[in-house]
PDB file of all heavy atoms in Angstrom:
ATOM      1  N   LYS A 275      -9.026 -16.868  18.095  1.00 89.00           N
ATOM      2  CA  LYS A 275     -10.088 -16.085  18.716  1.00 89.00           C
ATOM      3  C   LYS A 275     -10.087 -16.077  20.236  1.00 89.00           C
ATOM      4  O   LYS A 275     -11.105 -15.678  20.827  1.00 89.00           O
ATOM      5  CB  LYS A 275     -11.482 -16.616  18.211  1.00 89.00           C
ATOM      6  CG  LYS A 275     -11.621 -16.603  16.665  1.00 89.00           C
ATOM      7  CD  LYS A 275     -11.600 -15.213  16.118  1.00 89.00           C
ATOM      8  CE  LYS A 275     -11.842 -15.238  14.590  1.00 89.00           C
ATOM      9  NZ  LYS A 275     -11.851 -13.850  14.009  1.00 89.00           N
ATOM     10  N   GLN A 276      -9.013 -16.448  20.824  1.00 94.00           N
ATOM     11  CA  GLN A 276      -8.850 -16.383  22.277  1.00 94.00           C
ATOM     12  C   GLN A 276      -7.490 -15.699  22.530  1.00 94.00           C
ATOM     13  O   GLN A 276      -6.653 -15.559  21.654  1.00 94.00           O
ATOM     14  CB  GLN A 276      -8.840 -17.788  22.881  1.00 94.00           C
ATOM     15  CG  GLN A 276     -10.163 -18.538  22.756  1.00 94.00           C
ATOM     16  CD  GLN A 276     -11.138 -18.143  23.860  1.00 94.00           C
ATOM     17  OE1 GLN A 276     -11.008 -18.561  24.999  1.00 94.00           O
ATOM     18  NE2 GLN A 276     -12.204 -17.417  23.467  1.00 94.00           N
ATOM     19  N   ILE A 277      -7.329 -15.310  23.836  1.00 96.00           N
ATOM     20  CA  ILE A 277      -6.093 -14.704  24.249  1.00 96.00           C
ATOM     21  C   ILE A 277      -5.287 -15.666  25.058  1.00 96.00           C
ATOM     22  O   ILE A 277      -5.811 -16.341  25.971  1.00 96.00           O
ATOM     23  CB  ILE A 277      -6.421 -13.434  25.096  1.00 96.00           C
ATOM     24  CG1 ILE A 277      -6.903 -12.289  24.249  1.00 96.00           C
ATOM     25  CG2 ILE A 277      -5.141 -13.023  25.833  1.00 96.00           C
ATOM     26  CD1 ILE A 277      -5.880 -11.726  23.283  1.00 96.00           C
ATOM     27  N   ALA A 278      -3.992 -15.805  24.781  1.00 94.00           N
ATOM     28  CA  ALA A 278      -3.101 -16.641  25.508  1.00 94.00           C
ATOM     29  C   ALA A 278      -2.289 -15.721  26.482  1.00 94.00           C
ATOM     30  O   ALA A 278      -1.736 -14.737  25.980  1.00 94.00           O
ATOM     31  CB  ALA A 278      -2.233 -17.446  24.620  1.00 94.00           C
ATOM     32  N   PRO A 279      -2.196 -16.051  27.754  1.00 97.00           N
ATOM     33  CA  PRO A 279      -1.297 -15.245  28.609  1.00 97.00           C
ATOM     34  C   PRO A 279       0.104 -15.253  28.044  1.00 97.00           C
ATOM     35  O   PRO A 279       0.616 -16.294  27.673  1.00 97.00           O
ATOM     36  CB  PRO A 279      -1.349 -15.999  29.958  1.00 97.00           C
ATOM     37  CG  PRO A 279      -2.657 -16.756  29.896  1.00 97.00           C
ATOM     38  CD  PRO A 279      -2.855 -17.144  28.435  1.00 97.00           C
ATOM     39  N   SER A 280       0.677 -14.117  27.905  1.00 95.00           N
ATOM     40  CA  SER A 280       1.995 -14.032  27.269  1.00 95.00           C
ATOM     41  C   SER A 280       2.696 -12.734  27.539  1.00 95.00           C
ATOM     42  O   SER A 280       2.093 -11.782  28.081  1.00 95.00           O
ATOM     43  CB  SER A 280       1.855 -14.183  25.722  1.00 95.00           C
ATOM     44  OG  SER A 280       0.864 -13.263  25.218  1.00 95.00           O
ATOM     45  N   GLU A 281       4.015 -12.708  27.358  1.00 95.00           N
ATOM     46  CA  GLU A 281       4.753 -11.479  27.459  1.00 95.00           C
ATOM     47  C   GLU A 281       5.971 -11.582  26.511  1.00 95.00           C
ATOM     48  O   GLU A 281       6.372 -12.636  26.112  1.00 95.00           O
ATOM     49  CB  GLU A 281       5.200 -11.254  28.887  1.00 95.00           C
ATOM     50  CG  GLU A 281       6.153 -12.310  29.441  1.00 95.00           C
ATOM     51  CD  GLU A 281       6.534 -11.942  30.870  1.00 95.00           C
ATOM     52  OE1 GLU A 281       6.792 -10.766  31.152  1.00 95.00           O
ATOM     53  OE2 GLU A 281       6.696 -12.859  31.675  1.00 95.00           O
ATOM     54  N   GLY A 282       6.487 -10.438  26.186  1.00 96.00           N
ATOM     55  CA  GLY A 282       7.635 -10.368  25.288  1.00 96.00           C
ATOM     56  C   GLY A 282       7.688  -9.047  24.551  1.00 96.00           C
ATOM     57  O   GLY A 282       7.269  -8.025  25.105  1.00 96.00           O
ATOM     58  N   GLU A 283       8.170  -9.047  23.351  1.00 95.00           N
ATOM     59  CA  GLU A 283       8.171  -7.887  22.518  1.00 95.00           C
ATOM     60  C   GLU A 283       7.343  -8.125  21.241  1.00 95.00           C
ATOM     61  O   GLU A 283       7.389  -9.224  20.667  1.00 95.00           O
ATOM     62  CB  GLU A 283       9.631  -7.476  22.151  1.00 95.00           C
ATOM     63  CG  GLU A 283      10.473  -7.118  23.322  1.00 95.00           C
ATOM     64  CD  GLU A 283      11.681  -6.254  22.962  1.00 95.00           C
ATOM     65  OE1 GLU A 283      11.826  -5.919  21.754  1.00 95.00           O
ATOM     66  OE2 GLU A 283      12.449  -5.916  23.870  1.00 95.00           O
ATOM     67  N   THR A 284       6.630  -7.129  20.841  1.00 96.00           N
ATOM     68  CA  THR A 284       5.854  -7.252  19.622  1.00 96.00           C
ATOM     69  C   THR A 284       6.280  -6.258  18.534  1.00 96.00           C
ATOM     70  O   THR A 284       6.623  -5.097  18.857  1.00 96.00           O
ATOM     71  CB  THR A 284       4.345  -7.088  19.895  1.00 96.00           C
ATOM     72  OG1 THR A 284       3.584  -7.201  18.634  1.00 96.00           O
ATOM     73  CG2 THR A 284       4.024  -5.688  20.505  1.00 96.00           C
ATOM     74  N   GLU A 285       6.383  -6.756  17.348  1.00 94.00           N
ATOM     75  CA  GLU A 285       6.612  -5.900  16.183  1.00 94.00           C
ATOM     76  C   GLU A 285       5.438  -6.043  15.167  1.00 94.00           C
ATOM     77  O   GLU A 285       5.595  -5.875  14.003  1.00 94.00           O
ATOM     78  CB  GLU A 285       7.949  -6.319  15.432  1.00 94.00           C
ATOM     79  CG  GLU A 285       9.161  -6.052  16.322  1.00 94.00           C
ATOM     80  CD  GLU A 285      10.457  -6.443  15.567  1.00 94.00           C
ATOM     81  OE1 GLU A 285      10.364  -7.286  14.647  1.00 94.00           O
ATOM     82  OE2 GLU A 285      11.481  -5.933  15.987  1.00 94.00           O
ATOM     83  N   ILE A 286       4.225  -6.388  15.762  1.00 95.00           N
ATOM     84  CA  ILE A 286       3.108  -6.564  14.824  1.00 95.00           C
ATOM     85  C   ILE A 286       2.833  -5.249  14.095  1.00 95.00           C
ATOM     86  O   ILE A 286       2.833  -4.249  14.639  1.00 95.00           O
ATOM     87  CB  ILE A 286       1.884  -7.009  15.708  1.00 95.00           C
ATOM     88  CG1 ILE A 286       0.713  -7.461  14.762  1.00 95.00           C
ATOM     89  CG2 ILE A 286       1.453  -5.941  16.628  1.00 95.00           C
ATOM     90  CD1 ILE A 286      -0.417  -8.129  15.487  1.00 95.00           C
ATOM     91  N   PHE A 287       2.600  -5.422  12.772  1.00 95.00           N
ATOM     92  CA  PHE A 287       2.370  -4.263  11.900  1.00 95.00           C
ATOM     93  C   PHE A 287       0.991  -4.532  11.282  1.00 95.00           C
ATOM     94  O   PHE A 287       0.934  -5.376  10.377  1.00 95.00           O
ATOM     95  CB  PHE A 287       3.501  -4.162  10.877  1.00 95.00           C
ATOM     96  CG  PHE A 287       3.530  -2.846  10.158  1.00 95.00           C
ATOM     97  CD1 PHE A 287       4.517  -2.623   9.193  1.00 95.00           C
ATOM     98  CD2 PHE A 287       2.602  -1.881  10.340  1.00 95.00           C
ATOM     99  CE1 PHE A 287       4.604  -1.429   8.510  1.00 95.00           C
ATOM    100  CE2 PHE A 287       2.663  -0.644   9.710  1.00 95.00           C
ATOM    101  CZ  PHE A 287       3.638  -0.437   8.771  1.00 95.00           C
ATOM    102  N   ILE A 288       0.016  -3.798  11.709  1.00 96.00           N
ATOM    103  CA  ILE A 288      -1.360  -4.013  11.273  1.00 96.00           C
ATOM    104  C   ILE A 288      -1.628  -2.997  10.126  1.00 96.00           C
ATOM    105  O   ILE A 288      -1.709  -1.808  10.321  1.00 96.00           O
ATOM    106  CB  ILE A 288      -2.325  -3.859  12.444  1.00 96.00           C
ATOM    107  CG1 ILE A 288      -2.058  -4.973  13.469  1.00 96.00           C
ATOM    108  CG2 ILE A 288      -3.773  -3.949  11.926  1.00 96.00           C
ATOM    109  CD1 ILE A 288      -2.908  -4.874  14.738  1.00 96.00           C
ATOM    110  N   LEU A 289      -1.858  -3.557   8.955  1.00 95.00           N
ATOM    111  CA  LEU A 289      -2.098  -2.777   7.735  1.00 95.00           C
ATOM    112  C   LEU A 289      -3.441  -3.108   7.159  1.00 95.00           C
ATOM    113  O   LEU A 289      -4.018  -4.169   7.480  1.00 95.00           O
ATOM    114  CB  LEU A 289      -1.058  -3.139   6.677  1.00 95.00           C
ATOM    115  CG  LEU A 289       0.445  -2.992   7.074  1.00 95.00           C
ATOM    116  CD1 LEU A 289       1.327  -3.499   5.966  1.00 95.00           C
ATOM    117  CD2 LEU A 289       0.751  -1.527   7.320  1.00 95.00           C
ATOM    118  N   PRO A 290      -4.026  -2.198   6.327  1.00 96.00           N
ATOM    119  CA  PRO A 290      -5.292  -2.552   5.630  1.00 96.00           C
ATOM    120  C   PRO A 290      -5.191  -3.955   4.988  1.00 96.00           C
ATOM    121  O   PRO A 290      -4.176  -4.286   4.353  1.00 96.00           O
ATOM    122  CB  PRO A 290      -5.427  -1.465   4.639  1.00 96.00           C
ATOM    123  CG  PRO A 290      -4.775  -0.264   5.312  1.00 96.00           C
ATOM    124  CD  PRO A 290      -3.580  -0.841   5.993  1.00 96.00           C
ATOM    125  N   GLY A 291      -6.207  -4.762   5.216  1.00 95.00           N
ATOM    126  CA  GLY A 291      -6.156  -6.150   4.735  1.00 95.00           C
ATOM    127  C   GLY A 291      -5.976  -7.121   5.883  1.00 95.00           C
ATOM    128  O   GLY A 291      -6.232  -8.306   5.707  1.00 95.00           O
ATOM    129  N   TYR A 292      -5.554  -6.580   7.061  1.00 96.00           N
ATOM    130  CA  TYR A 292      -5.326  -7.509   8.222  1.00 96.00           C
ATOM    131  C   TYR A 292      -6.687  -8.005   8.714  1.00 96.00           C
ATOM    132  O   TYR A 292      -7.698  -7.287   8.808  1.00 96.00           O
ATOM    133  CB  TYR A 292      -4.618  -6.689   9.336  1.00 96.00           C
ATOM    134  CG  TYR A 292      -4.414  -7.429  10.592  1.00 96.00           C
ATOM    135  CD1 TYR A 292      -3.325  -8.252  10.761  1.00 96.00           C
ATOM    136  CD2 TYR A 292      -5.315  -7.367  11.648  1.00 96.00           C
ATOM    137  CE1 TYR A 292      -3.131  -9.000  11.962  1.00 96.00           C
ATOM    138  CE2 TYR A 292      -5.129  -8.067  12.822  1.00 96.00           C
ATOM    139  CZ  TYR A 292      -4.018  -8.876  12.974  1.00 96.00           C
ATOM    140  OH  TYR A 292      -3.823  -9.535  14.135  1.00 96.00           O
TER     141      TYR A 292
END
Side-chain angles (χ1 to χ4, degrees):
K275 304 294 183 179
Q276 294 277 288
I277 286 292
S280 52
E281 64 178 323
E283 295 202 3
T284 180
E285 293 181 340
I286 191 170
F287 195 177
I288 297 177
L289 305 172
Y292 177 85

